[in-house]
Amino acid sequence: MPVQLTNLQQATLQAVVNRLIPVDEYPNAWDAGVGEYLARHFEGDLKHLVEAYANGLDALEQEAKARYGNGFGELTAPQQDAFLQDVEQGAVVTVWPIAPGKFFRLLVEHTMQGYYGAPLNGGNRDAVSWQMTGFESRR
Amino acid sequence: MQQYDAIIVGAGAAGGIVAGVLAEAGWHVLLLERGPSLRFEDVPRDDIRSQRLSLYGHNAGPEIEGNPRVVVEPNGNERVVRPHEGGYHNNAACVGGGTRVYGAQAWRFMPQDFQMASLYGVPEGSSLADWPITYEDLKPYYERAERELGVAGQNDTLWGETAPDAAYPMPPVVPGPQTQALKRGAQQLGWRTFAAPLLINTVPYGGRAACIACKWCVGYACPTDAKNGTHNTLIPLALATGHCQMVTGAMTERIETDARGKVCGVSYFVEENGSARHESARAKVVIVSSGAIESARLLLNSHSAQHPHGLGNESDQVGRHLQGHYYPGASGLTEENVYNGVGPGVTCATNQFNHGNSGIIGGGMLCDDFIKPPIDFWYTSLPPDLPRWGAANKQYMRENYTRLLHVKGPVQEIPSPHGRVTIDPQVRDKWGIPVVRLSGTTHQATVATSEFMRHRAEEWLRASGCYKVWSQPRGIGLSGGQHQAGTCRMGHDPQTSVTDQCGRVHAHDNLFVIDGSLHVTNGGFNPVLTIMALAFRSAEHIAKNFN
């Protein structure tokens, strides 16, 4: 795990990416290795964004508390999805240190890179998304 | 100081061929390449760091640090960009150049492509012009490139060929389910289609194995060496003669001229154990084959007392008319499975709209696309109304990766003298050499042609059974990229061109530019086979006339 993020930030991150790619017959983002993908890139090409991630995750948690009285992880899945749509649109009620829409786009892109990209980058465990899509023949 | 018959700057599509031809003719050749020689295992199948999707870097160079360029936006804003970032217009920097990792489409330009100004007139503000040579002049060299490197294709693309023995050396790629769908659609529209010609071994050829139809073609190195570039054909041939010396990691600083202004050699840096060694070499002939952007940079950086504005730049033509290709296309969803996982994936093309389009200058080829890794698909193949995340997005990826048809193609660009390469007055690369400054745009008429082709792409997909079709218009901008061309155009008149019809720089008898820089216009096709044909033609001329 990225050493720079606190336990709470990591827990929020995990909960968020699992709504960006939720579980169905195929695993959610975290179980498919998106956490590992991010951890590797936080020490490499995304090093310059670790602080933005920490700030954005804190703001997201604070926004959830302001609106629902609960942390993001304690919301129901439909609440989480509706909340994330608002974050995506920049419709927030608290003060964010990073533009919420911009932070959300980063989260989405990096999550997709970890889920659909080549396993050599740490994500896409057992090439699971390549079988899901049919890029590789389904086992 | 080392003395050679010829020094070639750049071991890419053109430089590799020139090295092969001259070394075979007995010339002592120094071939300088800024990048390394890459083995298959040196080019990772990293789908977010390839020449196709370059989010964080590249797998075939140049190094992302130490090689900046300056981009001037149409609104006047300036940015310093790294090689994998937007606006840089990168091409691979390694032995073989772009051919090391390309998709290898092997199109001949059509006869009309050499006579664009005569056919269409010159739009106001453009620098559209005829080539000083015709298709017939280049045809024997197209044939030579197809034979010596190896092209697989269907003979319909050998324009107007009537000779009974005219044929590609290898049969075309086999059709897939996407081919059947697209052929049906084209038939309904009355369009002719054929297999795209490829510099890929469909059968063993040239001592190399056949394609094993893996999914990692464009942007990657071939596992069976079945993709034919200069790195596995003409360059090994040159080295085998024993009189071509190739130096990798060698960055040419300038072309040297003597006290009278005559070209006499080059100076270059070689990286060794982390430090730079400065070297010089002399030659009878210097040949610049660094790609349209870097070739212009080298000529401009080689200014001297006799040539204060750079070599070959007396008429302020070096670096102008930079062009590449707009790439209009469309995506569509089908009910049927149109994916069989057999690479490279390019199987079905039409040249129905390369010329003869009412009210449009030129046109372009359309073709199905290479197989895309899923992350590339996520970036490029989502309908505009689909959420970018969540259950619906995942469901789309899962259901439609194998049901999407994508056709696209390069549009013949209408060049502008304002789309150009100059030298930035401040920024330097890691060697201390002044870097390229890119500015201007293509000509507005290019946008009209591109829009016309985008609608043809949509039309094709609808006729092919797609129930949902979408595409994105593109606004005006500078074009270049992997198809970069035009910055040292050939011509008869030194006022409006940089070289003669063999690539010899006007006012110099021993300095040549041989690469895409020479292209007066860039066709509505992938340009590499034309770059190769011109290289064979110019190299043959040099070998005959300088001994």
Side-chain angles (χ1 to χ4, degrees):
Chain A
M1 279 312 305
V3 289
Q4 295 92 337
L5 296 185
T6 65
N7 287 343
L8 177 61
Q9 287 161 350
Q10 284 174 29
T12 307
L13 179 64
Q14 179 171 347
V16 171
V17 300
N18 282 343
R19 290 320 300 161
L20 301 183
I21 304 178
V23 65
D24 50 17
E25 294 90 330
Y26 288 89
N28 63 26
W30 203 262
D31 288 344
V34 168
E36 175 61 26
Y37 172 85
L38 289 172
R40 279 204 207 174
H41 283 72
F42 284 154
E43 290 176 1
D45 286 321
L46 298 180
K47 207 172 199 164
H48 63 292
L49 289 176
V50 174
E51 197 183 335
Y53 260 83
N55 291 337
L57 291 165
D58 285 346
L60 197 137
E61 197 63 27
Q62 173 195 302
E63 176 79 17
K65 286 204 173 107
R67 293 195 21 193
Y68 297 94
N70 269 322
F72 180 82
E74 287 129 62
L75 308 183
T76 65
Q79 280 176 327
Q80 288 178 331
D81 287 352
F83 174 79
L84 291 177
Q85 275 169 25
D86 284 348
V87 173
E88 183 178 26
Q89 303 299 321
V92 295
V93 299
T94 58
V95 177
W96 286 54
I98 173 175
K102 189 180 166 197
F103 174 60
F104 190 78
R105 276 194 297 282
L106 287 179
L107 269 170
V108 170
E109 278 202 44
H110 298 156
T111 302
M112 299 303 163
Q113 291 161 18
Y115 197 84
Y116 293 111
L120 60 82
N121 280 315
N124 195 6
R125 191 166 294 154
D126 303 325
V128 66
S129 76
W130 288 0
Q131 289 159 54
M132 180 188 94
T133 53
F135 173 65
E136 285 188 348
S137 45
R138 293 177 177 131
R139 285 175 202 154
Chain B
M1 194 182 304
Q2 284 288 326
Q3 175 78 38
Y4 298 88
D5 294 324
I7 298 170
I8 303 166
V9 183
I17 286 172
V18 176
V21 171
L22 293 183
E24 282 266 279
W27 283 47
H28 289 270
V29 174
L30 175 64
L31 178 58
L32 297 175
E33 169 53 48
R34 64 188 286 204
S37 182
L38 296 172
R39 298 163 303 169
F40 170 72
E41 53 271 30
D42 296 328
V43 186
R45 286 179 170 182
D46 185 341
D47 50 12
I48 54 176
R49 292 177 188 82
S50 79
Q51 299 287 335
R52 198 69 164 177
L53 183 61
S54 317
L55 300 177
Y56 306 113
H58 286 136
N59 54 9
E63 288 170 12
I64 63 172
E65 300 304 336
N67 295 293
R69 284 178 183 163
V70 176
V71 175
V72 185
E73 306 282 6
N75 63 15
N77 287 349
E78 290 184 19
R79 301 183 284 137
V80 177
V81 293
R82 296 180 294 169
H84 65 298
E85 291 169 341
Y88 189 94
H89 294 289
N90 187 47
N91 204 352
C94 58
V95 173
T99 75
R100 185 72 187 92
V101 290
Y102 63 178
Q105 291 195 42
W107 297 94
R108 297 182 183 188
F109 285 1
M110 295 174 85
Q112 298 95 311
D113 296 332
F114 298 85
Q115 293 161 331
M116 289 295 289
S118 294
L119 269 176
Y120 295 98
V122 181
E124 199 180 334
S126 86
S127 46
L128 195 64
D130 290 351
W131 289 51
I133 60 172
T134 65
Y135 176 76
E136 289 301 317
D137 293 323
L138 209 50
K139 196 176 101 174
Y141 303 97
Y142 276 133
E143 288 167 357
R144 186 167 174 192
E146 285 158 0
R147 196 175 55 243
E148 291 203 20
L149 284 99
V151 172
Q154 190 177 327
N155 294 341
D156 308 40
T157 56
L158 302 169
W159 323 122
E161 195 60 76
T162 50
D165 58 347
Y168 283 115
M170 289 179 277
V173 285
V174 293
Q178 79 279 27
T179 330
Q180 307 308 337
L182 289 168
K183 268 179 183 285
R184 270 201 317 273
Q187 263 160 20
Q188 201 181 312
L189 294 165
W191 303 357
R192 281 179 65 228
T193 57
F194 38 74
L198 295 162
L199 282 138
I200 289 177
N201 288 355
T202 49
V203 292
Y205 189 84
R208 294 179 306 282
C211 168
I212 53 167
C214 80
K215 304 174 184 72
W216 300 88
C217 200
V218 66
Y220 305 94
C222 176
T224 59
D225 215 15
K227 191 157 65 171
N228 303 322
T230 53
H231 64 287
N232 58 359
T233 57
L234 273 287
I235 292 172
L237 189 82
L239 299 175
T241 64
H243 20 87
C244 174
Q245 185 191 347
M246 179 166 71
V247 182
T248 58
M251 182 67 188
T252 303
E253 180 192 21
R254 35 184 294 127
I255 299 159
E256 298 293 349
T257 46
D258 65 17
R260 290 169 300 133
K262 184 180 160 68
V263 168
C264 57
V266 304
S267 59
Y268 59 100
F269 293 102
V270 187
E271 193 161 310
E272 229 177 36
N273 308 325
S275 66
R277 195 177 74 234
H278 197 241
E279 294 275 348
S280 296
R282 288 181 170 267
K284 286 197 297 198
V285 178
V286 171
I287 297 146
V288 181
S289 301
S290 311
I293 294 174
E294 291 293 320
S295 284
R297 177 190 181 197
L298 182 56
L299 291 184
L300 294 171
N301 269 335
S302 300
H303 53 79
S304 65
Q306 287 87 356
H307 307 283
H309 306 295
L311 297 181
N313 199 29
E314 281 73 16
S315 306
D316 188 25
Q317 288 295 302
V318 172
R320 291 192 182 272
H321 327 293
L322 175 62
Q323 56 201 292
H325 282 125
Y326 273 42
Y327 244 91
S331 302
L333 296 177
T334 65
E335 303 281 3
E336 58 183 325
N337 185 348
V338 288
Y339 174 88
N340 63 358
V342 171
V346 169
T347 62
C348 187
T350 184
N351 71 319
Q352 196 78 23
F353 302 103
N354 278 81
H355 291 281
N357 305 307
S358 178
I360 295 294
I361 301 172
M365 175 272 290
L366 285 174
C367 191
D368 50 353
D369 203 359
F370 292 89
I371 288 181
K372 291 185 190 69
I375 185 61
D376 195 346
F377 184 94
W378 186 84
Y379 273 101
T380 59
S381 305
L382 308 184
D385 56 354
L386 180 81
R388 264 38 193 172
W389 57 276
N393 190 272
K394 188 180 185 188
Q395 188 184 355
Y396 174 87
M397 291 295 290
R398 182 173 167 181
E399 290 178 356
N400 294 309
Y401 181 82
T402 55
R403 294 193 178 92
L404 183 120
L405 285 174
H406 185 189
V407 293
K408 64 178 186 180
V411 153
Q412 173 115 269
E413 227 165 275
I414 313 306
S416 161
H418 304 298
R420 69 188 295 199
V421 174
T422 55
I423 300 299
D424 192 82
Q426 267 111 38
V427 180
R428 288 165 182 254
D429 67 11
K430 67 174 176 182
W431 310 104
I433 307 171
V435 308
V436 158
R437 179 180 172 89
L438 297 166
S439 60
T441 67
T442 184
H443 189 272
Q444 185 68 39
T446 308
V447 180
T449 312
S450 177
E451 280 299 276
F452 173 80
M453 292 308 300
R454 181 169 73 84
H455 290 114
R456 300 293 75 71
E458 286 206 350
E459 193 180 0
W460 192 3
L461 293 182
R462 281 195 203 93
S464 304
C466 291
Y467 61 88
K468 183 182 175 99
V469 172
W470 67 93
S471 63
Q472 287 289 326
R474 202 200 128 162
I476 190 120
L478 187 65
S479 194
Q482 291 156 11
H483 291 189
Q484 58 188 259
T487 55
C488 302
R489 54 165 47 170
M490 48 160 66
H492 298 304
D493 181 358
Q495 293 299 311
T496 56
S497 61
V498 176
T499 81
D500 72 6
Q501 51 131 338
C502 285
R504 184 184 57 79
V505 176
H506 296 308
H508 290 269
D509 59 11
N510 64 341
L511 175 62
F512 286 78
V513 176
I514 306 178
D515 62 21
S517 309
L518 298 178
H519 295 193
V520 179
T521 50
N522 208 22
F525 297 103
N526 307 57
V528 77
L529 196 76
T530 301
I531 293 170
M532 290 171 170
L534 278 176
F536 275 114
R537 181 173 176 273
S538 290
E540 192 180 281
H541 167 84
I542 293 170
K544 270 188 192 145
N545 291 284
F546 276 84
N547 263 335

